[in-house]
Amino acid sequence: MAYEGRTYHGIQQGPESEGEWHPARILVEEPDFGPTERQYGVTVLRELAEPEHGGFGWGYNGGGTSAAAAAILADALDSGDPDKCGIGCASYPEDQVLADLREDFCDEALSQFYDRWRLRRSVILRWARTWYLQRGIGELPAALRELPPLQSRT
């Protein structure tokens, strides 16, 4: 399967937001290279579905952050439904390796984000592969076996 580039775009209201409350959303977009390119429009491929047991969140480490991490990682790893693949918070049985991956992604990435953010799939895959290798886990999910090409300009 060929690598598919994606950008995850998180949107939530911050504490200073005015007006009506809206749930946090995670859009999956075609990747662009910065605000200059995005000013001409962004192609949204889909929106990640919120889990039935609660909504998404980030900027802290809690249930909403875990739900967001599960949805993002399941999508980036092409694993399907987060709860069915064992990475979701409501998974039973929960896959302990995937649960640890999810919680470390919460702690290292999502807990640091603010209201709006963008994160490329390639960054997530490289982070996840390093996570597996640091733990000595040789059996990698298929999406981590061959990383996307680097875009170095030499």
Side-chain angles (χ1 to χ4, degrees):
M1 175 183 241
Y3 171 74
E4 178 190 338
R6 305 172 202 149
T7 297
Y8 298 92
H9 181 188
I11 304 165
Q12 74 179 359
Q13 290 181 312
E16 70 285 343
S17 297
E18 296 179 21
E20 184 180 330
W21 178 86
H22 297 281
R25 302 169 61 201
I26 301 173
L27 306 177
V28 182
E29 303 170 344
E30 284 188 7
D32 278 323
F33 288 98
T36 304
E37 286 80 8
R38 286 194 297 267
Q39 73 181 345
Y40 301 110
V42 172
T43 301
V44 176
L45 303 172
R46 63 187 167 279
E47 183 171 344
L48 297 182
E50 285 187 326
E52 293 178 15
H53 57 276
F56 295 138
W58 44 84
Y60 67 99
N61 202 349
T65 311
S66 293
I72 292 165
L73 288 167
D75 190 81
L77 295 172
D78 293 325
S79 299
D81 181 276
D83 290 328
K84 291 180 182 172
C85 75
I87 199 168
C89 301
S91 297
Y92 186 81
E94 184 177 66
D95 181 303
Q96 193 58 54
V97 170
L98 291 176
D100 290 346
L101 176 73
R102 177 193 71 221
E103 293 308 311
D104 283 345
F105 187 67
C106 287
D107 185 54
E108 294 184 19
L110 296 182
S111 67
Q112 304 304 307
F113 288 167
Y114 196 60
D115 296 343
R116 289 180 173 258
W117 51 267
R118 283 187 165 87
L119 187 62
R120 287 181 176 236
R121 179 180 185 225
S122 60
V123 172
I124 297 166
L125 295 178
R126 287 186 177 94
W127 177 88
R129 182 163 174 162
T130 301
W131 184 93
Y132 273 86
L133 295 175
Q134 281 185 309
R135 281 151 190 78
I137 302 170
E139 188 174 332
L140 300 173
L144 298 180
R145 292 184 195 134
E146 188 172 329
L147 293 177
L150 294 170
Q151 299 297 318
S152 301
R153 298 175 193 221
T154 56

